[in-house]
Amino acid sequence: MNLDFSPEDLAFRDEVRAFIAENYPAGLREKQEEGEEMAKEDFLSWHRVLAKKGWVAPAWPEKYGGPGWTSVQRYIWSEETARADCVPILPFGINMVGPVIYTFGTPEQKERFLPPTLSGDIWWSQGYSEPGAGSDLASLKTKAERFTGDDGKEYYLVNGQKTWTTLAQHGDWIFCLVRTDPNAKIQEGISFLLIDMKSPGVTVRPIITLGGEHEVNEVWLENVKVPVENRIYEENKGWTCAKFLLAHERSGIAGVARSKRGIERIRQIASTELGDDGAALIKDPMFKRKVAELEIDLTALEYTELRTLAGEAAGKGPGPESSLLKIKGTEIQQRITELVLEAAGHYGAPYFRGFPTDGDNAHPIGPDFAHRAAPTYFNVRKTSIYGGSNEIQRNIIAKMVLGL
């Protein structure tokens, strides 16, 4: 690989930096700096800026609304948005269901769903995990029974429960894996449905995380009527769509650029926080060793990601290497939060906004970063589980790469 940017790539990097500096929403930046919980419009504010510019879907083909960037330009984009601490574009529409629709969908489905997905007019939720089907996703129980309505059209009647559905309280539509043939083998008989969350029978119930946030939910589907025309690809062939989507999700989970920014932040924190000997924490040999080991692992992961991008540029889609990116990327993310919490020390004791009304935790104490250290640490425990647990990813590598 040639790792030197061309003059054209350097010019593109400068253009990206200038655009972010001039157009990133000021109100969104203020909320980030204050550590406030994001509302729906906060997430969409940056999305809509990028949609207007035509930059919201870096990996999409031009004919479906993508910018036509090279793999190097997409890499530069991820680097620069991480460097500027931009809120990530939510992946459910742009990185997950969007590619499924333009790859497997009918012309009518593409025309109906792709433009509002790009613009942010559809907020997508992901209906994969169930209480008894997480890493073993193929054992899902949510069922969809086909019938003919009084209007003569074909429908599915969907019943079941999805869980850990991120930000579903804002959802407009949810893409769901459902079982349409209960007698088929476990990975067969599954279909991929798009369900309007305003449909009668859809109920969203909050799950409050250890950090106090309403980030995830459980979604109940009780006699939900879904037109057959909302099924992507063939009936009972939804597992093909599911695997395609998960390969793209796992590649994105690696988060190399944001982990690089996280390590920079650790160095900044450790330069001002004091260790047990009264010197800056960054001078502590054990802490410094942990940071160095983290940087080495992240550099190795970055080169792996670059090799994957080179393969994509040559027309090769994400394969088993996406599992490797997912494993190492999420483990590095967790180690970053561990070091931040270690640097915070006792100032990292949990602090929950909203408690002042009860007379507790009126103000966080200690450095500005400390009151988010513990909630972030606990929240990031999930990264090695979602998108297919790291244990499952190791099995995939063993089978697909090592031939075991």
Side-chain angles (χ1 to χ4, degrees), residues 255-334:
V256 172
R258 294 191 179 274
S259 289
K260 289 171 70 175
R261 181 70 184 92
I263 291 177
E264 290 176 12
R265 185 164 172 263
I266 288 173
R267 286 192 170 277
Q268 294 168 356
I269 290 169
S271 297
T272 56
E273 295 304 303
L274 303 181
D276 294 336
D277 59 357
L281 186 58
I282 196 63
K283 296 184 181 298
D284 178 89
M286 291 301 296
F287 191 88
K288 184 159 52 173
R289 177 181 178 131
K290 292 175 184 177
V291 175
E293 290 174 342
L294 194 54
E295 287 184 302
I296 291 169
D297 285 350
L298 183 58
T299 299
L301 182 65
E302 182 178 18
Y303 277 85
T304 302
E305 183 179 55
L306 289 170
R307 286 195 297 269
T308 303
L309 288 174
E312 289 182 14
K316 177 185 175 185
E321 65 271 17
S322 64
S323 293
L324 178 60
L325 289 171
K326 198 271 179 180
I327 293 168
K328 294 302 297 184
T330 55
E331 288 177 349
I332 287 171
Q333 291 164 28
Q334 291 176 343

Side-chain angles (χ1 to χ4, degrees), residues 22-243:
E22 294 168 8
N23 294 278
Y24 195 74
L28 182 56
R29 179 73 70 199
E30 290 173 8
K31 278 201 166 186
Q32 287 177 264
E33 292 174 351
E34 292 296 322
E36 295 183 18
E37 189 169 346
M38 301 289 178
K40 181 175 184 177
E41 284 307 309
D42 295 321
F43 287 108
L44 289 176
S45 60
W46 181 226
H47 183 119
R48 287 178 174 142
V49 168
L50 293 177
K52 185 177 180 181
K53 178 70 172 176
W55 286 3
V56 76
W60 284 29
E62 282 187 89
K63 65 179 179 179
Y64 297 125
W69 287 346
T70 66
S71 57
V72 174
Q73 288 175 314
R74 296 202 303 271
Y75 174 77
I76 290 172
W77 173 252
S78 66
E79 287 279 309
E80 293 303 316
T81 51
R83 187 185 67 85
D85 284 328
C86 298
V87 168
I89 297 301
L90 292 175
F92 309 108
I94 297 300
N95 295 345
M96 296 184 188
V97 74
V100 168
I101 292 172
Y102 68 63
T103 302
F104 297 99
T106 64
E108 294 76 17
Q109 289 169 336
K110 295 174 187 178
E111 181 179 358
R112 179 183 179 187
F113 291 110
L114 293 181
T117 298
L118 284 173
S119 66
D121 291 335
I122 292 182
W123 179 297
W124 287 98
S125 298
Q126 181 182 22
Y128 268 30
S129 294
E130 299 183 4
S135 296
D136 183 18
L137 183 59
S139 63
L140 63 91
K141 296 292 192 293
T142 296
K143 65 180 180 179
E145 299 171 294
R146 190 163 178 167
F147 70 98
T148 302
D150 295 337
D151 55 5
K153 295 182 179 180
E154 293 291 302
Y155 294 91
Y156 291 107
L157 194 66
V158 181
N159 283 277
Q161 179 190 0
K162 300 295 181 177
T163 193
W164 309 123
T165 313
T166 302
L167 299 174
Q169 68 268 31
H170 304 316
D172 300 308
W173 284 74
I174 184 169
F175 54 94
C176 283
L177 291 179
V178 298
R179 190 163 298 282
T180 42
D181 184 353
N183 300 315
K185 294 181 180 180
I186 188 167
Q187 290 184 342
E188 299 176 6
I190 292 173
S191 297
F192 192 102
L193 293 188
L194 309 181
I195 301 175
D196 187 339
M197 295 186 72
K198 297 183 292 294
S199 302
V202 178
T203 304
V204 178
R205 296 172 182 166
I207 300 173
I208 305 303
T209 67
L210 282 173
E213 295 98 350
H214 177 192
E215 181 186 14
V216 290
N217 304 267
E218 55 183 6
V219 178
W220 292 83
L221 304 158
E222 301 171 283
N223 293 323
V224 179
K225 186 178 175 182
V226 181
V228 168
E229 66 189 32
N230 289 4
R231 186 193 70 233
I232 302 295
Y233 200 45
E234 301 174 25
E235 186 172 272
N236 300 326
K237 299 295 183 182
W239 194 248
T240 301
C241 300
K243 290 189 296 182

